[in-house]
PDB file of all heavy atoms in Angstrom:
ATOM      1  N   THR V  80      -7.105  16.646   3.947  1.00  0.00           N
ATOM      2  CA  THR V  80      -7.465  16.612   2.526  1.00  0.00           C
ATOM      3  C   THR V  80      -6.697  17.670   1.754  1.00  0.00           C
ATOM      4  O   THR V  80      -6.187  17.417   0.649  1.00  0.00           O
ATOM      5  CB  THR V  80      -8.976  16.840   2.357  1.00  0.00           C
ATOM      6  OG1 THR V  80      -9.690  15.863   3.123  1.00  0.00           O
ATOM      7  CG2 THR V  80      -9.388  16.729   0.899  1.00  0.00           C
ATOM      8  N   PHE V  81      -6.590  18.869   2.330  1.00  0.00           N
ATOM      9  CA  PHE V  81      -5.854  19.959   1.684  1.00  0.00           C
ATOM     10  C   PHE V  81      -4.387  19.589   1.467  1.00  0.00           C
ATOM     11  O   PHE V  81      -3.818  19.864   0.403  1.00  0.00           O
ATOM     12  CB  PHE V  81      -5.959  21.223   2.541  1.00  0.00           C
ATOM     13  CG  PHE V  81      -5.081  22.350   2.074  1.00  0.00           C
ATOM     14  CD1 PHE V  81      -5.448  23.126   0.985  1.00  0.00           C
ATOM     15  CD2 PHE V  81      -3.890  22.637   2.726  1.00  0.00           C
ATOM     16  CE1 PHE V  81      -4.643  24.165   0.551  1.00  0.00           C
ATOM     17  CE2 PHE V  81      -3.077  23.678   2.296  1.00  0.00           C
ATOM     18  CZ  PHE V  81      -3.461  24.441   1.199  1.00  0.00           C
ATOM     19  N   ALA V  82      -3.776  18.962   2.465  1.00  0.00           N
ATOM     20  CA  ALA V  82      -2.351  18.653   2.385  1.00  0.00           C
ATOM     21  C   ALA V  82      -2.063  17.398   1.564  1.00  0.00           C
ATOM     22  O   ALA V  82      -1.094  17.350   0.801  1.00  0.00           O
ATOM     23  CB  ALA V  82      -1.781  18.501   3.790  1.00  0.00           C
ATOM     24  N   ALA V  83      -2.908  16.359   1.729  1.00  0.00           N
ATOM     25  CA  ALA V  83      -2.631  15.085   1.068  1.00  0.00           C
ATOM     26  C   ALA V  83      -3.164  15.024  -0.350  1.00  0.00           C
ATOM     27  O   ALA V  83      -2.554  14.398  -1.228  1.00  0.00           O
ATOM     28  CB  ALA V  83      -3.219  13.935   1.886  1.00  0.00           C
ATOM     29  N   PHE V  84      -4.310  15.673  -0.596  1.00  0.00           N
ATOM     30  CA  PHE V  84      -4.950  15.627  -1.917  1.00  0.00           C
ATOM     31  C   PHE V  84      -5.403  17.037  -2.315  1.00  0.00           C
ATOM     32  O   PHE V  84      -6.599  17.352  -2.297  1.00  0.00           O
ATOM     33  CB  PHE V  84      -6.144  14.664  -1.914  1.00  0.00           C
ATOM     34  CG  PHE V  84      -5.805  13.249  -1.559  1.00  0.00           C
ATOM     35  CD1 PHE V  84      -6.010  12.768  -0.273  1.00  0.00           C
ATOM     36  CD2 PHE V  84      -5.273  12.389  -2.509  1.00  0.00           C
ATOM     37  CE1 PHE V  84      -5.696  11.464   0.058  1.00  0.00           C
ATOM     38  CE2 PHE V  84      -4.948  11.081  -2.195  1.00  0.00           C
ATOM     39  CZ  PHE V  84      -5.163  10.616  -0.898  1.00  0.00           C
ATOM     40  N   PRO V  85      -4.463  17.910  -2.641  1.00  0.00           N
ATOM     41  CA  PRO V  85      -4.814  19.320  -2.910  1.00  0.00           C
ATOM     42  C   PRO V  85      -5.791  19.495  -4.073  1.00  0.00           C
ATOM     43  O   PRO V  85      -6.637  20.393  -4.036  1.00  0.00           O
ATOM     44  CB  PRO V  85      -3.461  19.974  -3.211  1.00  0.00           C
ATOM     45  CG  PRO V  85      -2.547  18.843  -3.565  1.00  0.00           C
ATOM     46  CD  PRO V  85      -3.015  17.667  -2.771  1.00  0.00           C
ATOM     47  N   ASP V  86      -5.686  18.661  -5.115  1.00  0.00           N
ATOM     48  CA  ASP V  86      -6.613  18.800  -6.237  1.00  0.00           C
ATOM     49  C   ASP V  86      -8.031  18.374  -5.836  1.00  0.00           C
ATOM     50  O   ASP V  86      -9.019  18.952  -6.306  1.00  0.00           O
ATOM     51  CB  ASP V  86      -6.133  17.958  -7.423  1.00  0.00           C
ATOM     52  CG  ASP V  86      -4.884  18.536  -8.065  1.00  0.00           C
ATOM     53  OD1 ASP V  86      -4.798  19.775  -8.144  1.00  0.00           O
ATOM     54  OD2 ASP V  86      -3.999  17.775  -8.480  1.00  0.00           O
ATOM     55  N   TRP V  87      -8.139  17.368  -5.005  1.00  0.00           N
ATOM     56  CA  TRP V  87      -9.448  16.973  -4.473  1.00  0.00           C
ATOM     57  C   TRP V  87     -10.038  18.113  -3.654  1.00  0.00           C
ATOM     58  O   TRP V  87     -11.212  18.478  -3.821  1.00  0.00           O
ATOM     59  CB  TRP V  87      -9.275  15.721  -3.609  1.00  0.00           C
ATOM     60  CG  TRP V  87     -10.546  15.162  -3.035  1.00  0.00           C
ATOM     61  CD1 TRP V  87     -11.832  15.476  -3.397  1.00  0.00           C
ATOM     62  CD2 TRP V  87     -10.659  14.186  -1.981  1.00  0.00           C
ATOM     63  NE1 TRP V  87     -12.736  14.752  -2.639  1.00  0.00           N
ATOM     64  CE2 TRP V  87     -12.038  13.953  -1.771  1.00  0.00           C
ATOM     65  CE3 TRP V  87      -9.725  13.485  -1.225  1.00  0.00           C
ATOM     66  CZ2 TRP V  87     -12.503  13.054  -0.816  1.00  0.00           C
ATOM     67  CZ3 TRP V  87     -10.184  12.587  -0.281  1.00  0.00           C
ATOM     68  CH2 TRP V  87     -11.558  12.374  -0.072  1.00  0.00           C
ATOM     69  N   TYR V  88      -9.235  18.685  -2.783  1.00  0.00           N
ATOM     70  CA  TYR V  88      -9.682  19.794  -1.934  1.00  0.00           C
ATOM     71  C   TYR V  88     -10.156  20.979  -2.781  1.00  0.00           C
ATOM     72  O   TYR V  88     -11.219  21.555  -2.531  1.00  0.00           O
ATOM     73  CB  TYR V  88      -8.539  20.220  -1.020  1.00  0.00           C
ATOM     74  CG  TYR V  88      -8.873  21.332  -0.055  1.00  0.00           C
ATOM     75  CD1 TYR V  88      -9.325  21.055   1.229  1.00  0.00           C
ATOM     76  CD2 TYR V  88      -8.704  22.672  -0.421  1.00  0.00           C
ATOM     77  CE1 TYR V  88      -9.614  22.078   2.125  1.00  0.00           C
ATOM     78  CE2 TYR V  88      -9.001  23.693   0.454  1.00  0.00           C
ATOM     79  CZ  TYR V  88      -9.460  23.396   1.724  1.00  0.00           C
ATOM     80  OH  TYR V  88      -9.752  24.406   2.600  1.00  0.00           O
ATOM     81  N   ALA V  89      -9.355  21.329  -3.801  1.00  0.00           N
ATOM     82  CA  ALA V  89      -9.683  22.488  -4.632  1.00  0.00           C
ATOM     83  C   ALA V  89     -10.978  22.272  -5.411  1.00  0.00           C
ATOM     84  O   ALA V  89     -11.850  23.151  -5.456  1.00  0.00           O
ATOM     85  CB  ALA V  89      -8.530  22.774  -5.595  1.00  0.00           C
ATOM     86  N   THR V  90     -11.130  21.093  -6.008  1.00  0.00           N
ATOM     87  CA  THR V  90     -12.335  20.813  -6.791  1.00  0.00           C
ATOM     88  C   THR V  90     -13.564  20.716  -5.889  1.00  0.00           C
ATOM     89  O   THR V  90     -14.639  21.236  -6.212  1.00  0.00           O
ATOM     90  CB  THR V  90     -12.169  19.500  -7.575  1.00  0.00           C
ATOM     91  OG1 THR V  90     -11.005  19.598  -8.398  1.00  0.00           O
ATOM     92  CG2 THR V  90     -13.379  19.236  -8.456  1.00  0.00           C
ATOM     93  N   LEU V  91     -13.399  20.069  -4.739  1.00  0.00           N
ATOM     94  CA  LEU V  91     -14.517  19.894  -3.821  1.00  0.00           C
ATOM     95  C   LEU V  91     -15.015  21.232  -3.286  1.00  0.00           C
ATOM     96  O   LEU V  91     -16.216  21.524  -3.323  1.00  0.00           O
ATOM     97  CB  LEU V  91     -14.090  18.983  -2.667  1.00  0.00           C
ATOM     98  CG  LEU V  91     -15.105  18.769  -1.543  1.00  0.00           C
ATOM     99  CD1 LEU V  91     -16.343  18.053  -2.068  1.00  0.00           C
ATOM    100  CD2 LEU V  91     -14.480  17.980  -0.399  1.00  0.00           C
ATOM    101  N   PHE V  92     -14.106  22.060  -2.816  1.00  0.00           N
ATOM    102  CA  PHE V  92     -14.526  23.300  -2.168  1.00  0.00           C
ATOM    103  C   PHE V  92     -14.934  24.375  -3.166  1.00  0.00           C
ATOM    104  O   PHE V  92     -15.651  25.306  -2.797  1.00  0.00           O
ATOM    105  CB  PHE V  92     -13.417  23.810  -1.245  1.00  0.00           C
ATOM    106  CG  PHE V  92     -13.412  23.132   0.095  1.00  0.00           C
ATOM    107  CD1 PHE V  92     -12.869  21.862   0.240  1.00  0.00           C
ATOM    108  CD2 PHE V  92     -13.975  23.734   1.198  1.00  0.00           C
ATOM    109  CE1 PHE V  92     -12.877  21.222   1.464  1.00  0.00           C
ATOM    110  CE2 PHE V  92     -13.991  23.099   2.428  1.00  0.00           C
ATOM    111  CZ  PHE V  92     -13.438  21.837   2.562  1.00  0.00           C
ATOM    112  N   SER V  93     -14.504  24.270  -4.402  1.00  0.00           N
ATOM    113  CA  SER V  93     -15.006  25.215  -5.411  1.00  0.00           C
ATOM    114  C   SER V  93     -16.340  24.755  -5.977  1.00  0.00           C
ATOM    115  O   SER V  93     -17.264  25.558  -6.148  1.00  0.00           O
ATOM    116  CB  SER V  93     -13.977  25.376  -6.535  1.00  0.00           C
ATOM    117  OG  SER V  93     -13.725  24.137  -7.176  1.00  0.00           O
TER     118      SER V  93
END
Side-chain angles (χ1 to χ4, degrees):
T80 304
F81 172 78
F84 301 99
D86 289 322
W87 182 14
Y88 182 93
T90 303
L91 176 64
F92 278 79
S93 60

